[in-house]
Every structure is written in C-alpha cells, then in structure tokens.
Amino acid sequence: MRNPAKCVSMHHIDDKAMPERPALTFSALQSIRSKKMIRLNIKGTQMHLKTRKNMWFCGTLLACLSISAPASSQEAGTAPQQKEMTYGEKADQEIQNFHWNAALQIYRDELARNENNADAWRGMGRILRWQGHLEESRQAYEKAAALEPDNSNAALGIASTYFLDHDFDRAAAGYAAARERWPDDEEVRQAADDFARERNPRVYGRYERDLTFRTITYGAGMPLLSREDIQLESVRDESLGQYIRKDKKATYTHFFALNNFLEFRYRRANYTYSTDVTDFSAIDWFDEYRLRYSYPFTPEQVGSVTYTYRPTKLKTTQQSYNSTKYEFELHSQWSPRFGTVVGGGQLRDLNGDPTTTSDLRNTSLVKAGVEYMLTQKAQATATYITNPDLDNSIHSKSLFLLSYQWRDNLSSLLRYRYDDYKSGGSQRIYSLAMRYTPDAHVWVELGVLSAARAGRSGVYPQATLIYKF
C-alpha cells in the first residue's frame, strides 16, 4: 500500500490545510472572492430598495448633468484608467500559470521595498513549502509570525513544515500551541484535528479483479514515536483457475526528512493449486526481504535504491533457489507542472523453461515515466516498467492515468494498463473510478474496469477504503 506521506504534493496548499490534503485551487479561491462580492451586491440591493422613492429625482438630475458632460472619456481627451494589480494579485496570477519562481520573485521584490510586510513573508513561505524547501519556508513563516503574532496563518505554516519533514513531535507542539492561542478559529481547530489523526492507527481494504487475477487486500498501520511507521498487510491473490497465493507482509519505515527514508519489508507467500502440479518452476512458498532507501539530492531531485532477496521453494521437487532484484530510480520535478522518473536494475530468477534450480538468468530492468499538470485540476501520468514482478512472468507493464479534481474532496480517475505477459497473451485494462474524501477519517475509491485478453473480456468492480481513527 503506498504511503502518501512519502512524497510531497506539488500542488499549492492553503496555510490552514494539512500538507498532504488537496489544496484549494485558484478557481476555488476565486469562487470564494465572488461569493463575497455577491454578499456586497445583496447589501447594495437592499439599500436600493429602501431609497426607491428617490430614484426618479436622481435619474432626472443625472440626465441634466449629462447634457453638459463629454460624450465619452475619449472626447475629453483622457484614456480610461485601469487599476494596477497589487503584488499579491500578480503573484496569484503567476502561481495560477504554474510560474512559482516568478511569483517568488514578486514577493522578494516587495520585501526589498518593505521588509516588514508580513503578508509577503507568508507568501514566500507558502511557495517555498510547495517546492520542498522546508527550512527556508519555516524561516519565512517565522518572520511573518514575528511581524504579525496575532495572525494564525504563519503559525500553521510553521507546523506544516515540521509535518512534511516528518518531525511529528515539533509539528504536534505547533498545532497544539495554535489551538490554545486561537481556540475559536475553526480552521485552526480543523488543521490540528487533521494532524492528530495522522498519528492515529489506520485500517484499509481493497478489492481488485481482472481476467487474470482476483485480489483482496486488507491491512492496518500506525505511526510510531516521531519518525517511524509500521504496517501489517494480508493479501489473497487468486490466479483464476490455477492457484491461490496468500501473502503476509510487515513494513517498517523510518523517516529522516521529506523524501528521505529507510524502509524494510518482510513478506511470506504460500501457494495452493487447484489441480495437480507438474511444472518444475511452480512455487510452493517463498520469503521476501526488501530494503529501500530514498534520498533527496535536492528537493526537486529524489533518488532511491531497492534490494530484494527472495528464498524460494518449488512445489514439485521441494528444491530451493534464491531470486534477487536490484533497482534504482530518480524522480525529477522539472517545474511545478512537469516531472519525470527514470530507473533501471537487474533481476536474477529462474530461466523461462528451467530444468534445475541452478538454471538462472539475469534480466535488465527499465523504468520510465512522466507526469504533467494539464490545468490546476487535471493531471496526466504515464509509466513504463519492464519485469515488474520477481516471478519473471511478464515482459513489461504500461500504465496511463488521467485524473480530474472536481472539488477539494472529489476527483475522477481514468486509467489504462497494458500487461505484456510472456505467455497466455497480453491483457488490456480500462478503468474509471471516483475518489471521495468526505473528511479526515475516510478515503474511498470506487470504480469499474473493462479487461480483454486472448479473446476473452469482462467488466469488473474495484474498491478501496482507508479509514483513519
């Protein structure tokens, strides 16, 4: 199960929202502004109704005045005056166009003119946090807090940088202090409650089905101390008409900082076959040990290395052999809207048609992917992976995802997957799902998929549920 805390979202985030939660988009902010204007218009309408008796008199007076006035500003020799945008409006416009560095420079220019502008310091802190420069972001928020100590935005911004840095102790202290100082602020209370739930246990379940496999997953996890997380998972993976594999997994993760962690996973898998097995390479059971380390060379360039070791026992002969897999990846965020991942490695496993456990071969691995923000609400991702599984049963897997965020808590996902199996024909899968997060407790994804392989096809449901206590 992917842990969303391992990667920082490149979407901009409001100061009074949890860092990993969906951000207020600029269209949403514009909607809030428009609602304020509607309220002002309503007030103006009420005043207009109260003074309705004076309308005729005012209209007559204006008509008289217009006789002696120029027909237009052009006749008067003056051009229409356009209101100059404020520095904040200019920065918002640059952010909306994904020009974060340009927006950052606008705030810096404003601070060069007035270093006591708390709003500009908060704007800098916000963008630096989105970019992953957490220490610089924290310093900007601290300057804003010193200038305007009664403003809760800076206090929540400081706490969120500690949260993203996986320093839960300092983050907890920051949210607790903000809640004590602003007890009646609903957004402060919500942010503190959301963070508190991140430190609570979570449970989850997932159901997936296609023409080849039916998978049921359930598990639980919880943070430990300030920088640790542990997760237990059970998987029932049924290869339809062939075997059932039952997995038990345990994962321990230690976070050093944002995108800097060490992860260890142990997995035990047992196979049960529906018919008598004669294939030499059929597996009885295996133990799998996986160690992964991720390190940010810069906030925009994050590398990781993974080593997997799998002692395996065969079903027919009860002989044993060891599989190994080395992988490396580099995730690059080239701009707020464009990112890439490249990787490679080597897999050592049984040959395609082995006769002994010493009949092993080495296979090169390749991984490549891109992600692109089409708009503030739409994102496209494409990934290509060779030999994604240690069982050496598949040549490659191609994935495409198009997501659209309708509201802060509702998004739709269109997926395409192509599985190039080494035998039995390739599989194509199209799926459409809706993701709903009604509150900080619940994360739900429901959808349907259509699969086709070797002349067969079918439509199946899929569902995922995560609940945080």
Side-chain angles (χ1 to χ4, degrees):
M1 193 70 182
R2 176 181 291 178
N3 188 342
K6 291 177 185 173
C7 55
V8 58
S9 172
M10 300 306 293
H11 299 262
H12 62 276
I13 303 170
D14 188 75
D15 287 327
K16 295 187 177 182
M18 290 300 295
E20 83 292 358
R21 291 174 61 80
L24 275 177
T25 61
F26 275 89
S27 59
L29 292 175
Q30 291 167 351
S31 175
I32 292 173
R33 294 189 185 108
S34 66
K35 290 178 182 178
K36 292 180 180 179
M37 293 303 299
I38 290 172
R39 287 196 292 268
L40 290 174
N41 289 337
I42 291 173
K43 292 180 181 179
T45 302
Q46 292 171 345
M47 294 175 63
H48 171 74
L49 292 175
K50 291 179 180 179
T51 59
R52 188 172 182 179
K53 295 180 180 180
N54 297 324
M55 288 179 60
W56 182 86
F57 173 77
C58 293
T60 303
L61 179 61
L62 290 172
C64 294
L65 291 174
S66 66
I67 295 175
S68 59
S72 67
S73 58
Q74 293 178 349
E75 292 180 10
T78 60
Q81 295 293 323
Q82 292 185 349
K83 182 181 178 182
E84 184 178 356
M85 294 175 65
T86 66
Y87 76 91
E89 291 171 337
K90 292 178 183 177
D92 284 352
Q93 186 177 68
E94 295 292 352
I95 294 170
Q96 189 173 10
N97 294 326
F98 299 96
H99 301 155
W100 290 0
N101 288 332
L104 196 60
Q105 188 59 48
I106 290 174
Y107 286 125
R108 285 176 171 150
D109 291 342
E110 174 63 23
L111 289 169
R113 290 188 289 268
N114 179 14
E115 64 178 7
N116 294 324
N117 189 329
D119 179 72
W121 283 115
R122 285 193 296 269
M124 274 190 61
R126 208 163 33 239
I127 296 175
L128 290 168
R129 190 185 67 205
W130 302 338
Q131 294 178 330
H133 298 274
L134 299 183
E135 183 62 32
E136 296 175 66
S137 171
R138 190 177 303 124
Q139 292 173 0
Y141 278 126
E142 287 172 348
K143 290 182 179 180
L147 291 169
E148 292 185 359
D150 293 332
N151 190 309
S152 63
N153 286 288
L156 293 180
I158 294 170
S160 69
T161 63
Y162 284 122
F163 174 81
L164 284 172
D165 217 18
H166 292 279
D167 191 343
F168 278 17
D169 286 344
R170 291 187 180 182
Y175 284 114
R179 190 165 187 172
E180 181 178 356
R181 181 163 187 175
W182 296 281
D184 298 326
D185 191 316
E186 177 62 24
E187 290 177 293
V188 170
R189 184 197 64 78
Q190 186 64 51
D193 288 346
D194 289 348
F195 169 75
R197 292 188 185 101
E198 292 299 317
R199 308 191 73 180
N200 291 340
R202 61 188 181 275
V203 295
Y204 60 90
R206 180 170 62 249
Y207 175 84
E208 296 176 289
R209 168 75 192 274
D210 58 35
L211 288 170
T212 308
F213 290 98
R214 175 169 50 225
T215 306
I216 300 174
T217 305
Y218 57 89
M222 65 177 296
L224 298 175
L225 304 176
S226 180
R227 294 182 177 271
E228 285 75 34
D229 186 270
I230 188 168
Q231 183 166 287
L232 303 176
E233 183 175 282
S234 177
V235 181
R236 187 181 188 274
D237 199 5
E238 181 179 357
S239 179
L240 303 177
Q242 297 184 36
Y243 64 80
I244 296 175
R245 190 188 72 223
K246 295 182 178 180
D247 295 350
K248 304 295 182 184
K249 301 179 185 178
T251 304
Y252 169 81
T253 307
H254 177 83
F255 297 95
F256 301 97
L258 175 66
N259 291 327
N260 184 199
F261 62 88
L262 180 66
E263 178 185 273
F264 173 75
R265 188 183 77 181
Y266 169 72
R267 173 186 176 194
R268 172 72 183 211
N270 291 284
Y271 287 73
T272 303
Y273 294 87
S274 55
T275 60
D276 292 336
V277 179
T278 58
D279 185 1
F280 174 81
S281 61
I283 298 173
D284 188 10
W285 58 263
F286 65 75
D287 291 320
E288 182 179 278
Y289 306 88
R290 192 184 77 166
L291 189 65
R292 183 185 182 198
Y293 179 67
S294 175
Y295 181 80
F297 301 105
T298 69
E300 297 81 17
Q301 306 288 329
V302 180
S304 67
V305 292
T306 305
Y307 172 71
T308 305
Y309 174 68
R310 181 190 284 183
T312 304
K313 178 166 284 191
L314 300 178
K315 182 71 173 178
T316 56
T317 63
Q318 292 297 294
Q319 297 181 43
S320 299
Y321 72 97
N322 300 322
S323 295
T324 57
K325 191 175 186 180
Y326 302 88
E327 301 170 272
F328 65 89
E329 292 180 9
L330 178 64
H331 295 256
S332 303
Q333 195 69 40
W334 301 103
S335 72
R337 69 191 313 173
F338 178 66
T340 60
V341 56
V342 294
Q346 184 180 76
L347 168 66
R348 183 169 178 79
D349 195 26
L350 282 179
N351 223 326
D353 189 17
T355 56
T356 69
T357 54
S358 60
D359 192 5
L360 302 172
R361 70 175 178 183
N362 294 323
T363 306
S364 297
L365 307 176
V366 174
K367 182 175 183 179
V370 296
E371 63 176 25
Y372 187 76
M373 291 293 299
L374 303 172
T375 69
Q376 289 286 344
K377 295 186 176 184
Q379 180 178 14
T381 304
T383 309
Y384 174 78
I385 311 170
T386 62
N387 293 92
D389 300 317
L390 252 176
D391 60 13
N392 209 15
S393 64
I394 187 170
H395 282 294
S396 64
K397 187 185 295 287
S398 301
L399 306 163
F400 176 78
L401 169 66
L402 177 63
S403 62
Y404 186 84
Q405 184 175 341
W406 300 97
R407 301 196 306 264
D408 290 346
N409 63 353
L410 181 66
S411 58
S412 57
L413 304 100
L414 177 64
R415 295 185 176 97
Y416 169 76
R417 191 178 91 202
Y418 179 77
D419 299 327
D420 183 12
Y421 284 95
K422 294 182 177 180
S423 62
S426 300
Q427 179 174 241
R428 289 178 171 84
I429 295 177
Y430 302 87
S431 68
L432 179 62
M434 298 296 293
R435 184 175 293 169
Y436 182 51
T437 53
D439 53 41
H441 290 287
V442 180
W443 187 101
V444 180
E445 184 176 310
L446 299 173
V448 294
L449 65 83
S450 173
R453 182 184 186 189
R456 298 181 298 126
S457 62
V459 178
Y460 308 99
Q462 57 181 353
T464 302
L465 170 65
I466 302 175
Y467 183 83
K468 297 179 181 179
F469 293 95

